[in-house]
Amino acid sequence: MSTAPALYLHPDRLFPAERGQRDIARRLYAAVCDLPIISPHGHTDPRWFADDLPFDNPAALLVQPDHYLLRMLYSQGVPLEQLGIPRADGAPVQDDTREVWRSFAAHYYLFRGTPSRLWLDHVFAVVFGLEQQLAPASADHYYERIDACLREPDFRPRALFERFNIEVLATTESPLDDLRHHDAIAASGWGGRVITTFRPDPVLDPEHDGFAANLQQLGELTGESVETFDGYLNALRNRREYFRRRGATATDHGHPSARTADLGDADKRALYDRVRSGQCTAQDAELFRAQMLTEMAAMSLEDGMVMQLHPGSYRNHNGFLLEQFGRDKGADIPVATEYVHALRPLLERFGNEPDFSLILFTLDETSYSRELAPLAGHYPALKLGPAWWFHDSPEGMRRYREQVTESAGFYNTVGFNDDTRAFLSIPARHDVARRVDCAFLARLVAEHRLGEDEAQELAADLSYHLAKRAYRL
Amino acid sequence: MSTAPALYLHPDRLFPAERGQRDIARRLYAAVCDLPIISPHGHTDPRWFADDLPFDNPAALLVQPDHYLLRMLYSQGVPLEQLGIPRADGAPVQDDTREVWRSFAAHYYLFRGTPSRLWLDHVFAVVFGLEQQLAPASADHYYERIDACLREPDFRPRALFERFNIEVLATTESPLDDLRHHDAIAASGWGGRVITTFRPDPVLDPEHDGFAANLQQLGELTGESVETFDGYLNALRNRREYFRRRGATATDHGHPSARTADLGDADKRALYDRVRSGQCTAQDAELFRAQMLTEMAAMSLEDGMVMQLHPGSYRNHNGFLLEQFGRDKGADIPVATEYVHALRPLLERFGNEPDFSLILFTLDETSYSRELAPLAGHYPALKLGPAWWFHDSPEGMRRYREQVTESAGFYNTVGFNDDTRAFLSIPARHDVARRVDCAFLARLVAEHRLGEDEAQELAADLSYHLAKRAYRL
Amino acid sequence: MSTAPALYLHPDRLFPAERGQRDIARRLYAAVCDLPIISPHGHTDPRWFADDLPFDNPAALLVQPDHYLLRMLYSQGVPLEQLGIPRADGAPVQDDTREVWRSFAAHYYLFRGTPSRLWLDHVFAVVFGLEQQLAPASADHYYERIDACLREPDFRPRALFERFNIEVLATTESPLDDLRHHDAIAASGWGGRVITTFRPDPVLDPEHDGFAANLQQLGELTGESVETFDGYLNALRNRREYFRRRGATATDHGHPSARTADLGDADKRALYDRVRSGQCTAQDAELFRAQMLTEMAAMSLEDGMVMQLHPGSYRNHNGFLLEQFGRDKGADIPVATEYVHALRPLLERFGNEPDFSLILFTLDETSYSRELAPLAGHYPALKLGPAWWFHDSPEGMRRYREQVTESAGFYNTVGFNDDTRAFLSIPARHDVARRVDCAFLARLVAEHRLGEDEAQELAADLSYHLAKRAYRL
């Protein structure tokens, strides 16, 4: 099968139109486009790499799990039933995946100007060798070609992992996960490096679904008593160690806000008792999450795990959708997020520790130049994660570099995270990031703000080295 | 009279300087520049088109009613008296309109880099055929030329409407308006389509001037008792129907915030009683406005009127100016505006209704990428209005597209609104919007993020079709 | 010594890459690059110009006092001890300034993409004639060359002042300062114009270090009783006059927020009593600062001093650093700052006064288009200061012009402030500002939004005339 890019995937895409800058961008990109992929934060399913079974059909692989696609299609009046998303009430939904694919193709024009379009075109052209852009008329051809590919050995998860030149891929699991798939991968002898990430929200956030049961399970798994705050902390320490032994080098925290706290011992214990009893207020829950970030930071200093904070998403904003179709269907909405006051308690404890590393993300771009770049440009313990989620896009990445670099420089950032569950799009996402970074660097060179030799070094750092270093990989 | 553009109105204005992009922008623009104007939201006076009398002198037409001009001139020390704006205390002001015009011309340099300059130059060059740019030395020539034109039949409102190629023009009226001018236009047999918009702030906002009297008048007009909440809602329903029969397809709401509410029946009635008694607090007033947005949404679902929300302006910030010169003299200032929590009560009721449409505007650009694009990119009921007021400008429109498109796409936006009372500037404003959109699209094409055929289709959608569809025209 | 720019300082730096725009930018810049420097707001030490002694070694001159450098180096793990910053506890720090310089050179790559790099390269190339860019290998060469220069008469403060073509330089002093250095400069017969600025935070802010002692000293200096609010105001009036006689034309206020107040007489006096007694709450302190801004505005109207407000910095965010190394080591972080409600009390009193001038600054870029440009584009008393501190950078300045100009125009801005204590970087900073403004204007010209003749006039206004006029120099 040909892997030559199709005509709709131009080799100069995302480079500046102005000739001089484009030439510089091309040179910078040429030296980094084939570097291995470091994917230190994402949501792929480790089972894929443990079992190495073929992926399902095109719709199940590329449309139904992608909340970026679901949100846009739904916003334009396409019912989720028509896309084959199961309903909680068991009412019938479209179960012909070819029809789902046709609905998607019929609305592909909606994605003009969005990153989904860039990623999908890359997958279609580079992974599946499709030569014409997806359109209603080519829906069936696309479906058949992709479906046929998926039955071939070259399109099994491990083969794609290798073809994608992934050096390391991090998944994300709950502390309650037994990590059996990671164990299976390790036991299989396959050489792909798939590591886990410790994401303790289910046992840190009193407002998480099933928090009480989660606590109990945490106690059982670890043999620690979660009746006391000290036992609870020991249980967490225990699971961190369990994760670390499966390769985890990082934790991740998805709180509603960036608030941290540093309470005295008696207050912490009293708060934990309220939380554990299920009788905590919303204020208690927020304070507990805040305190637990500081506790996690303390443990990071002990065990060396890098800490990530992803705050500021209003999850499941659409009650009807949550009820009928569940989480992660494209109804999470960013909210304004404050960092300067919020992080201070944690930073007062650990901000000056050279061995502690907290990587900050945001959905609120106003914090880039006002809060995050100044904070990361000062505290040894802080680094900035890349443009995230809604801002993981060409314009979003450009704004990120323009608004972050002058106060934080490049070396307080950590390269790219694809943050995706869409495995096939991983090369596309890293490619977009590399192109946009090269375009940004090319402008600095063309405006004589940076030497091209420096830009070349930076391009490799942003594409590869910074992620590897920041995540201790 | 020549209508060839003057030299100071360059045919390539607002297009990117880089040659390749400029060529693309020219081609895109050439295919849309002559499309009819859809003006679905604005503030022109329907009396103009009912009576079709000549406009007054140049100062009264172009300077004195334009709050963009007044604010800038005032900020630089030009007293409003010198511009002939009447004082509440009856103290003398400049009544020689030629002198007013000279003051304006003497300060025309202040508008460098502002959209007012672009709009005015367009009006001067294209509508009045003036060949040299306005300057102090040409003030009298300008005055005389414009004054002479205004006496000619070709410069009467209906003639200009036709010359401007306006397909539909929406004005905005209070529910208490009898719409006699719209009736007169309809009765006249003239073919121009001038429709009204239902703007119920005077009877929805307890803090509106004369609210109590307005309520009473609403009752009298409709024969409904406004003593009860149900009667009040019926009266509103009645007036909506009255407006709909005069062509209205939309309502508009100018609240201080975007807050919505969805109270139970007893709470609504009790709140209405407090509001009607004139004994409501500021919190009550805010809650009542919030509740009434949800009530208006319910009625929109009944009668099919599209709903517009224009929140976030601190009206009449300058107390002295309000007292001496009245409203709309350029002293309204934007404030930070939150949407995610504010809109949730309404969206929980109607956000998933395919037949309900709420068009959101903002004066707070930080909400574009953080809140509005994610919301509109998910909810079927939401669309985004164009860059508004202070942001209705080349840079403002560019930021809008850059910050909105990647999450909401193009098809969750509704094309352009001129939102103006400056009738003569309507073609100029639409022209600026078309040029800026073509420039944005040209960049996407030049960077190989979009095919030129797609961009051409989008240019027509953004210039014409989206507005027509969104406003059900 | 050659003053020809080194190769690493390209003559076209910061100009747009696109050929047409670059040519315009070059022409605009050529006509302004040699205009004298107006530096109306900064923090250089007047003693330098009074005593005219040689500067110390390269590290003491260029590294150790520069909080931009300290913050970045510290963020990347360089201990301040290694940079020779003295500790409060007297523990040993690096005292070999050549070693300090080597540490700096070893980390010079961290500044890629930052304004510090642009400023330093300018200093190295233009002031010291260094021909190769700073790198670890050239650290010693740099140190020796700069050190040798500093011993020459041409590098004494007054000689540099003249070489830099500074027309006027404002320093900033506390009301408690006796201004002896300014008196010495005046008495010396040297022609350089070095004026002071009245910065009353130490006696206006109840939370300022040593506020009570400062009040007492203020009373002693002026012979006024600070036991009463009226005496306190008289004392301030007295010191303003003292400053005005030493050339001050402006006051400056560095409050945490932009809040203003306009209390009645009894409330003011009661508040002052609480503040003076040392028993005021944080709310009292904030209210007192707010009230005092209005009092300062009243005095500005009496004595003609221009007022500057620099709000929104969270000072000394890092407690450990403050304790060990003191203030101004790069740990001040911006916070969100509101202006529309905050300034209203003051504006209701003085916003319409043509003889009062308040220059606003911000660290919160979201206020540019939403609040500051609309306010300054309306109130005669308001002007906007340039992009400040973290935003005093090429991208920051570009965003400032793009977000401010369309609502406030150019003439409600006040040209450039270098705001620096790094004397040698003053020409570099003004040069960056002139280049970025010329680049912005060149884009407007290339996009036919402005005539080149207008742009040329604006370039001179932005580089020179506006600052002179705004600060009444």
Side-chain angles (χ1 to χ4, degrees), chain C residues 28-44:
Chain C
L28 298 176
Y29 175 75
V32 300
C33 62
D34 292 328
L35 287 175
I37 286 174
I38 304 289
S39 176
H41 176 85
H43 299 276
T44 52

Side-chain angles (χ1 to χ4, degrees), chain B residues 76-230:
Chain B
Q76 286 283 312
V78 182
L80 294 189
E81 290 88 345
Q82 187 178 328
L83 299 169
I85 307 300
R87 286 177 60 109
D89 62 10
V93 301
Q94 179 58 261
D95 62 0
D96 181 340
T97 55
R98 183 185 289 258
E99 286 300 326
V100 171
W101 186 263
R102 285 175 180 160
S103 288
F104 168 57
H107 293 90
Y108 196 54
Y109 73 96
L110 295 176
F111 296 96
R112 290 168 177 167
T114 72
S116 292
R117 157 74 175 269
L118 290 168
W119 300 328
L120 285 163
D121 278 358
H122 186 118
V123 170
F124 296 151
V126 176
V127 182
F128 295 109
L130 286 152
E131 284 161 17
Q132 303 296 323
Q133 194 160 45
L134 179 61
S138 59
D140 281 2
H141 169 64
Y142 260 68
Y143 189 89
E144 285 152 19
R145 170 66 160 271
I146 296 170
D147 200 49
C149 286
L150 296 183
R151 296 165 201 277
E152 292 179 30
D154 282 357
F155 288 82
R156 296 218 175 164
R158 291 182 182 179
L160 289 174
F161 187 103
E162 287 156 12
R163 175 174 160 197
F164 291 168
N165 195 19
I166 298 175
E167 184 173 312
V168 57
L169 178 73
T171 64
T172 301
E173 275 78 35
S174 159
L176 306 176
D177 195 295
D178 63 10
L179 304 181
R180 73 181 66 181
H181 302 304
H182 291 84
D183 284 343
I185 294 167
S188 75
W190 174 58
R193 186 173 174 200
V194 178
I195 63 176
T196 184
T197 302
F198 185 75
R199 170 91 170 219
D201 303 357
V203 297
L204 287 197
D205 178 1
E207 295 176 326
H208 202 279
D209 284 349
F211 176 71
N214 294 342
L215 272 198
Q216 191 177 339
Q217 195 186 341
L218 178 68
E220 288 161 7
L221 273 174
T222 59
E224 299 284 348
S225 162
V226 296
E227 309 267 304
T228 67
F229 190 55
D230 291 343

Side-chain angles (χ1 to χ4, degrees), chain A residues 197-210:
Chain A
T197 302
F198 185 75
R199 171 91 171 220
D201 303 357
V203 297
L204 287 197
D205 178 0
E207 295 176 328
H208 201 281
D209 284 349

Side-chain angles (χ1 to χ4, degrees), chain B residues 331-352:
Chain B
D332 298 340
I333 310 289
V335 292
T337 304
E338 199 275 341
Y339 292 85
V340 180
H341 294 91
L343 292 176
R344 193 159 190 270
L346 186 152
L347 291 171
E348 283 291 282
R349 281 282 298 281
F350 302 115
N352 297 290

Side-chain angles (χ1 to χ4, degrees), chain A residues 181-198:
Chain A
H181 302 305
H182 291 84
D183 284 341
I185 295 168
S188 75
W190 175 56
R193 186 172 173 200
V194 178
I195 63 178
T196 184
T197 302
F198 185 75

Side-chain angles (χ1 to χ4, degrees), chain B residues 13-15 17 22 71 74-76 112 117 314 317-319 330 334 364-365 393-396 398-399, chain C residues 21 340 344 348 352 369-370 374 376-380 402-403 406-407 411-412 443 446-449 454 457:
Chain B
R13 65 193 178 279
L14 296 169
F15 293 159
R22 178 161 291 187
R71 58 181 298 121
Y74 187 68
S75 78
Q76 286 283 312
R112 290 168 177 167
R117 157 74 175 269
Y314 187 132
H317 192 266
N318 188 332
D364 181 353
E365 294 182 297
S393 62
E395 299 299 322
R398 181 176 56 78
R399 284 196 293 273
Chain C
Q21 289 177 74
V340 180
R344 193 159 190 269
E348 282 292 280
N352 297 290
S369 72
R370 186 182 59 215
H378 165 66
Y379 281 101
E402 289 177 0
Q403 294 175 25
E406 294 181 319
S407 288
Y411 292 97
N412 285 306
R443 181 158 77 87
E447 296 178 359
H448 306 290
R449 296 154 72 175
E454 297 178 294
E457 195 178 308

Side-chain angles (χ1 to χ4, degrees), chain C residues 229-242:
Chain C
F229 189 54
D230 290 344
Y232 168 69
L233 293 183
N234 282 337
L236 288 167
R237 236 176 237 114
N238 178 306
R239 293 309 287 172
R240 292 173 65 106
E241 177 63 18
Y242 188 90

